[in-house]
Amino acid sequence: MIYVTKPNLPPLDELMPYLEKIWESGIVSNCGPFHQELETKMCDYLGVDHISLFSNATIALLVAVKALNITGEVITTPFSFVATAHSLLWNNVTPVFIDIDPISLNMDPTKIEAAITSKTTGILPVHVYGRPCDVDEIEKIATKNKLKVIYDAAHAFGVNCHCGSILNHGDLSVVSFHATKVFNTFEGGAIVCKDSKTKQYIDKLKNFGFASESNVIQVGINGKMSEFNAALGLVQLKHIDDVIEKRRFIDYTYRNSIEKILGISCLEDTGEYRKNYSYFPIIVQADYALTRDELYEFLKANGIYARRYFYPLISDFSMYQGLSSANRLNLQIAAEHADKILCLPIYPDLTEDVVNQICKLLSV
Ligand code: T4K
């Protein structure tokens, strides 16, 4: 069986010295030395000023919303993983879904202003598949309307746009280091922020809200990354450029074959940016021999487990359907894409041979 992804594992011999240090010191959690070292090295690698590591990106999103004191309503995209909207509901904030742009598949900035009400306090866009949102336009609208912006950058590790790391945009960005991501610590995530005061506040929030040994100042949570996960991250970071290069080659191989297949297309580029090749989505058009779901089943029957990210839309889940913004008429481009996108397997160990076999299956 070939899955949509396979976690990239760090070489065990490189990991062992880190584990020995953990065993010797007995420091296994609570922002120990590896946690601190990974924060520093990751800032250097990504080109950002401050990072706070988390046990996963979902908790990081919850804390990001809390840290900015966001209330009322937040404008977001339905074309994402459910953690995006859940982070709002967990904070008693109502998600307001708007449609996506047909090229980038990210929130369509031209739809934001019409969704603003007196209760709106923020915008939560997603750099879906690591494809940059229109950050300049979103910033203009946010500034004009005095709204906070949190980017769900779960897919965007290492993505650079016209002015450096995409993670430098918005008030905060949240990255995921889950096993299925380009850079993984098995489970993990981070909040990127721009100043040390915000970083210190976020660090307190992820540690139950403790301000000192004897005082708690906020309803915090336990979101700390363990020393084991940080050690994994330190080893993974040494190999990340090689991992991205292997993904680039797989992306290139797919594109070369797929452009010759009638009825299937790859996503168009949205301009010049450094990619991380985190997913390989294809669009199954109406003139293809099979529907998207028939193709999904056909690949599965042949041992290829592709995924329909992001189907259903978040707004189509039963618990979200009651929101007035969840109406599909409001979200036609998102709905159309949720019904015709399929993400093909992509991970560093995937061989060129298997990619060619998958393309052959697509050519039926
Ligand atoms: N925001 C966005 C936009 C996100 O996409 C996500 C997560 C988040 C926020 C929250 O981030 P975290 O809290 O997770 O850090 C997966 C991931 O669990 C999830 O992290 C990810 N997005 C989402 C898009 O995909 P599933 O349900 O597709 O995962 P699963 O377990 O089916 O894994 C996919 C394939 O990967 C499997 O078929 C086999 C392979 N796999 C997976 C795991 C976990 C392995 O080979 N080994 C493994 O250990 O959600």
Side-chain angles (χ1 to χ4, degrees):
M1 192 71 141
I2 302 290
Y3 292 108
V4 71
T5 188
K6 193 173 141 200
N8 186 55
L9 300 175
L12 259 186
D13 58 327
E14 289 184 36
L15 182 65
M16 283 318 284
Y18 288 85
L19 298 189
E20 280 163 11
K21 276 196 187 157
I22 295 175
W23 261 244
E24 273 163 29
S25 70
I27 307 287
V28 302
S29 189
N30 289 7
C31 309
F34 289 149
H35 182 286
Q36 288 171 37
E37 189 180 337
L38 184 58
E39 286 190 345
T40 306
K41 292 202 165 142
M42 201 172 269
C43 281
D44 289 347
Y45 178 80
L46 294 172
V48 301
D49 290 334
H50 299 280
I51 279 188
S52 181
L53 297 175
F54 275 79
S55 48
N56 60 65
T58 305
I59 299 283
L61 278 167
L62 300 188
V63 169
V65 175
K66 183 105 188 150
L68 296 184
N69 223 352
I70 281 176
T71 56
E73 294 175 358
V74 164
I75 296 166
T76 191
T77 167
F79 192 71
S80 182
F81 189 60
V82 71
T84 308
H86 273 5
S87 71
L88 297 171
L89 284 187
W90 266 89
N91 280 286
N92 285 323
V93 173
T94 306
V96 175
F97 299 111
I98 59 170
D99 211 353
I100 59 171
D101 175 87
I103 306 296
S104 71
L105 306 188
N106 292 321
M107 168 186 288
D108 179 349
T110 66
K111 302 271 164 34
I112 296 175
E113 286 200 294
I116 296 176
T117 71
S118 57
K119 294 186 193 144
T120 312
T121 59
I123 310 174
L124 176 56
V126 180
H127 301 298
V128 82
Y129 309 135
R131 294 159 65 80
C133 291
D134 187 345
V135 288
D136 293 333
E137 204 47 41
I138 291 173
E139 186 176 333
K140 237 189 266 169
I141 297 166
T143 308
K144 182 177 155 204
N145 294 282
K146 297 190 175 53
L147 302 176
K148 304 279 188 200
V149 180
I150 299 173
Y151 280 103
D152 181 337
H155 306 168
F157 184 94
V159 171
N160 279 12
C161 62
H162 54 290
C163 48
S165 173
I166 195 78
L167 306 174
N168 283 320
H169 291 275
D171 294 282
L172 302 173
S173 288
V174 174
V175 207
S176 170
F177 309 145
H178 182 257
T180 55
K181 300 296 188 290
V182 169
F183 174 88
N184 84 77
T185 57
F186 290 8
E187 286 279 359
I191 299 182
V192 173
C193 63
K194 292 175 181 154
D195 61 274
S196 58
K197 206 170 149 218
T198 307
K199 148 97 172 128
Q200 282 163 19
Y201 186 54
I202 288 168
D203 284 347
K204 289 186 182 98
L205 284 177
K206 78 174 179 195
N207 188 29
F208 311 96
F210 274 105
S212 67
E213 200 178 318
S214 51
N215 194 21
V216 170
I217 52 155
Q218 252 292 2
V219 191
I221 201 165
N222 182 1
K224 294 171 271 102
M225 176 181 276
S226 82
E227 286 294 277
F228 176 74
N229 299 96
L232 286 171
L234 285 166
V235 183
Q236 299 282 46
L237 206 51
K238 295 180 188 170
H239 300 279
I240 186 65
D241 287 334
D242 181 45
V243 162
I244 293 176
E245 174 52 28
K246 285 180 174 153
R247 286 176 168 273
R248 188 200 61 74
F249 181 70
I250 293 164
D251 179 285
Y252 166 84
T253 310
Y254 271 134
R255 275 175 199 275
N256 269 348
S257 296
I258 287 173
E259 67 186 19
K260 297 172 202 129
I261 303 174
L262 190 72
I264 291 187
S265 52
C266 305
L267 298 193
E268 275 176 51
D269 276 343
T270 52
E272 274 298 299
Y273 64 97
R274 189 180 84 182
K275 301 175 186 152
N276 67 3
Y277 309 97
S278 50
Y279 291 83
F280 196 86
I282 55 168
I283 301 185
V284 183
Q285 310 282 6
D287 55 352
Y288 185 62
L290 304 173
T291 64
R292 189 277 309 271
D293 289 347
E294 285 167 352
L295 177 59
Y296 168 79
E297 293 298 341
F298 172 69
L299 290 176
K300 199 151 73 163
N302 284 277
I304 311 296
Y305 200 67
R307 291 298 285 267
R308 291 168 287 193
Y309 297 131
F310 288 98
Y311 164 86
L313 294 176
I314 302 176
S315 46
D316 281 342
F317 290 128
S318 56
M319 60 165 291
Y320 283 96
Q321 274 173 359
L323 294 172
S324 56
S325 66
N327 189 332
R328 265 193 165 218
L329 290 175
N330 212 26
L331 307 168
Q332 287 185 14
I333 295 170
E336 187 193 319
H337 283 82
D339 291 344
K340 62 184 192 184
I341 280 206
L342 195 60
C343 287
L344 299 180
I346 184 164
Y347 50 89
D349 287 352
L350 191 65
T351 63
E352 192 178 354
D353 244 21
V354 174
V355 174
N356 287 331
Q357 283 170 35
I358 295 172
C359 292
K360 216 166 149 197
L361 288 169
L362 295 177
S363 310
V364 291

